[in-house]
Amino acid sequence: MKSRLFKNTATLSRFIFKKDKFKMALWIVGIGGFTLAVAVAFPDLYRTAAERQQLAATMVNPAVTALVGRGYGLDNYTYGAMMAHQMLGMTTIIAGLMNILLVAKHTRADEEAGLTEMILSLPSGRLSTMGASMTVMAVLNSIMAFAVGLGLFSTGIESLDLEGSLLYGAVIGAIGLFFAAVTGLCAQFTESSRGTIGLSIAVLGGAYLIRAAGDVSNETLSWFSPIGWVLGTETYVNNYWWPIVLTLAAAICTAVLAFYLNTIRDVGAGFFPSKPGRMTASVFLRSPFGLALRLQRSSLIFWTLGIVVLAVTYGSVLGETEIYFEDIEFMEEFLPVMEGVSLTDQFLAVLMAVMAIIITIPALLMMLKLKGEEKNQRLEPLFSLPVSRIRMMGSYLLLAVLSSVFLLLVSGLAMGSIGVAVIEEGELAPFITSSLVYLPAVWVMLGVTVLLIGILPKYTGLIWLYLGFSFMTVYFGDLFQMPGWLTGLTPFDHVPGMPVDDFNIMSAAIMTVVAITIGAAGFLGYLKRDIHG
């Protein structure tokens, strides 16, 4: 009986590998290359033990702890301890996203498109499609784990020993498998790939926030997060392997539950069924914009809650920035002393840049929803009505633009409401302006997305590579001393870091014009190309 449930799983696994081999290779090269690039850069940036210890002194700041995790090995801050402490937590988030997107595509998205039902009509088992997806992710995460681990060891850098390097890779692979299983479970509850991805990312975001809150306030709380588990390995310092075993056990249990739920539900259905709608649509819903908003309403709500929690977390620790940074000479390289500008304002500018990039994600997702509707052949019935392509694309773009304004405003208000309470003589206005100043940069990203949808619809995924590049330049540009021409390729580099810098209306106007121009080219391409092109 069990063999029939998984019949032809191996064949389907090979099909998935063949179909997405290029995308999977990009993920491995991206994560592995990023990790090795950081590891190789550290010895050039911090040449002496004294410089590393000065950096270690900054790691006790609650804001830094919330961002990267609880510090360990700070009394002897080797390159290995530095690498694991500062980079491992961020890499686990990226690995989690990789697994969420790939598993959702090959489970709920295929089921939503009717491919799963077609496969089940052939000689295949009830669990063969999900089994193939989990098999592929197990292989992919294992390859990534060994590639990263052996790659780090091959650098020959002091303190990057074999055991620590393999453990580093194992952390990435284990957390990836856990969120692959979580996504498989979420696919049983929702009826759409959008819901599966949204729910899975909510779990990932919740794990990060629980870990951040626990590391700052209560260490016990961190152990309620899978990200807290894997960071508890204290890689390159104590090399605890048991958190890896715990994470893999949790992944297996989650996957088993997902498989069981898959066997007792109908194909195409979810345990959280969609509520029946009204007998007649409202006037608002009868427009393309109203339809776009209705389709993404739940996603916007979840993102708003996540942004609020993250902004409040960062705002709560701003009051202690001066205490931790004021006497550390090393910080002058990253937060140089500026007359009339506090370290708190400088750190606020960095946090707002990171928040702006995070907020760009839901804005892009709302625009890319148009491509998803096209892929699932849901636009043709709408275009048979008196609805133009310009109106359809414009509705999704308007929703993305309004959402970016709303989320940036919410982040500024949330962080400012807490920040004003913890900063002496703090004001709310700088928080709001420091957030909204990133609107033109977000609009440029949306313009590029519109261009890809209109001209190169098969390559819309490139926008995520561009956003990842933008994050690296903003977050690591000063750390790696990237050249100006390279950082200037991202629109976020042209945004003044308020409240440190003054608002530059010319820069904002130019970026807005660039966004409009690129977007207009995308509209023109969308008008001329074939649907499903």
Side-chain angles (χ1 to χ4, degrees):
M1 178 64 181
K2 291 182 179 179
S3 61
R4 290 199 297 270
L5 286 174
F6 292 94
K7 186 176 182 179
N8 281 328
T9 296
T11 302
L12 290 173
S13 299
R14 290 193 296 270
F15 174 74
I16 293 175
F17 272 118
K18 184 177 180 179
K19 182 181 179 181
D20 279 352
K21 59 183 178 182
F22 180 70
K23 183 180 294 185
M24 294 177 184
L26 280 179
W27 276 109
I28 293 177
V29 171
I31 294 177
F34 168 71
T35 302
L36 294 181
V38 174
V40 172
F42 273 145
D44 292 332
L45 294 173
Y46 313 99
R47 299 180 182 276
T48 66
E51 289 180 340
R52 295 197 298 272
Q53 289 308 124
Q54 284 184 327
L55 178 63
T58 70
M59 295 296 104
V60 296
N61 185 302
V64 176
T65 300
L67 281 172
V68 302
R70 188 178 66 258
Y72 53 86
L74 298 180
D75 55 339
N76 181 24
Y77 211 42
T78 63
Y79 293 123
M82 182 188 305
M83 180 71 190
H85 177 219
Q86 297 187 36
M87 301 308 305
L88 194 52
M90 191 62 63
T91 310
T92 59
I93 299 295
I94 299 174
L97 285 173
M98 177 193 77
N99 283 268
I100 288 172
L101 295 176
L102 291 177
V103 173
K105 177 182 178 182
H106 294 294
T107 53
R108 178 50 71 174
D110 284 351
E111 192 170 342
E112 187 180 12
L115 296 178
T116 300
E117 188 173 3
M118 181 179 66
I119 291 173
L120 292 177
S121 68
L122 302 172
S124 60
R126 180 69 172 82
L127 298 177
S128 57
T129 54
M130 186 173 174
S133 178
M134 291 301 170
T135 300
V136 168
M137 298 316 299
V139 174
L140 180 62
N141 282 285
S142 298
I143 292 174
M144 186 168 59
F146 280 104
V148 170
L150 295 177
L152 287 172
F153 177 67
S154 67
T155 60
I157 298 174
E158 177 189 354
S159 73
L160 298 188
D161 55 50
L162 180 60
E163 182 184 4
S165 297
L166 291 177
L167 180 57
Y168 193 107
V171 166
I172 299 173
I175 200 67
L177 285 173
F178 177 82
F179 281 104
V182 167
T183 308
L185 180 61
C186 292
Q188 312 311 310
F189 293 118
T190 64
E191 293 184 346
S192 66
S193 59
R194 181 182 70 254
T196 298
I197 293 174
L199 188 58
S200 302
I201 291 180
V203 175
L204 176 62
Y208 174 82
L209 292 175
I210 291 173
R211 191 279 310 158
D215 287 346
V216 171
S217 59
N218 187 348
E219 183 177 341
T220 302
L221 182 61
S222 298
W223 290 101
F224 287 90
S225 165
I227 297 178
W229 301 345
V230 294
L231 295 186
T233 56
E234 298 188 2
T235 308
Y236 289 123
V237 178
N238 293 313
N239 291 333
Y240 298 126
W241 282 87
W242 65 265
I244 300 297
V245 177
L246 173 63
T247 306
L248 291 177
I252 293 173
C253 292
T254 305
V256 169
L257 178 59
F259 278 118
Y260 170 72
L261 293 178
N262 195 313
T263 61
I264 63 174
R265 69 171 177 85
D266 294 332
V267 176
F271 286 96
F272 297 157
S274 300
K275 296 181 180 179
R278 295 170 44 175
M279 293 297 293
T280 58
S282 64
V283 175
F284 180 73
L285 192 57
R286 295 173 191 173
S287 66
F289 177 81
L291 177 61
L293 177 58
R294 179 62 184 85
L295 290 174
Q296 305 188 78
R297 180 181 61 185
S298 298
S299 176
L300 180 59
I301 292 173
F302 282 125
W303 275 104
T304 301
L305 293 176
I307 292 298
V308 168
V309 173
L310 188 61
V312 167
T313 302
Y314 290 159
S316 64
V317 296
L318 280 175
E320 303 180 27
T321 304
E322 296 279 355
I323 299 175
Y324 285 95
F325 285 170
E326 61 182 0
D327 295 325
I328 300 175
E329 296 179 2
F330 181 79
M331 287 306 299
E332 294 181 3
E333 182 177 350
F334 304 106
L335 296 177
V337 176
M338 301 177 65
E339 185 177 354
V341 179
S342 67
L343 288 173
T344 300
D345 286 344
Q346 291 178 264
F347 197 63
L348 173 61
V350 175
L351 289 179
M352 284 303 185
V354 174
M355 289 294 297
I357 292 180
I358 294 174
I359 289 170
T360 305
I361 296 175
L364 296 182
L365 287 174
M366 290 180 183
M367 190 65 236
L368 289 171
K369 177 63 177 173
L370 177 64
K371 180 62 176 64
E373 294 295 288
E374 177 184 349
K375 181 180 178 181
N376 291 324
Q377 301 181 5
R378 293 174 180 150
L379 291 184
E380 288 184 342
L382 296 176
F383 288 143
S384 67
L385 302 172
V387 176
S388 66
R389 294 192 185 191
I390 290 182
R391 187 181 179 191
M392 182 62 68
M393 176 175 270
S395 297
Y396 280 86
L397 178 59
L398 177 61
L399 177 60
V401 169
L402 293 178
S403 298
S404 66
V405 176
F406 172 72
L407 290 175
L408 283 171
L409 180 61
V410 166
S411 68
L413 286 172
M415 190 183 297
S417 299
I418 302 300
V420 168
V422 298
I423 300 175
E424 294 182 2
E425 301 180 358
E427 297 181 359
L428 184 60
F431 288 89
I432 298 176
T433 55
S434 299
S435 182
L436 292 179
V437 74
Y438 284 94
L439 277 173
V442 178
W443 293 343
V444 170
M445 299 297 293
L446 286 172
V448 174
T449 306
V450 171
L451 183 66
L452 290 173
I453 294 175
I455 298 179
L456 299 171
K458 293 183 179 179
Y459 300 97
T460 52
L462 292 175
I463 191 63
W464 299 116
L465 293 179
Y466 189 34
L467 184 63
F469 166 76
S470 299
F471 175 77
M472 286 193 63
T473 57
V474 170
Y475 197 73
F476 301 106
D478 292 336
L479 183 66
F480 297 150
Q481 301 176 1
M482 293 181 179
W485 67 266
L486 183 61
T487 59
L489 295 177
T490 171
F492 294 94
D493 184 64
H494 301 282
V495 178
M498 297 180 67
V500 176
D501 301 323
D502 294 330
F503 177 69
N504 189 333
I505 189 171
M506 182 60 67
S507 176
I510 291 175
M511 281 196 291
T512 302
V513 171
V514 169
I516 293 174
T517 304
I518 296 174
F523 272 87
L524 184 62
Y526 192 65
L527 279 174
K528 293 184 175 182
R529 73 169 176 86
D530 294 333
I531 296 297
H532 308 303

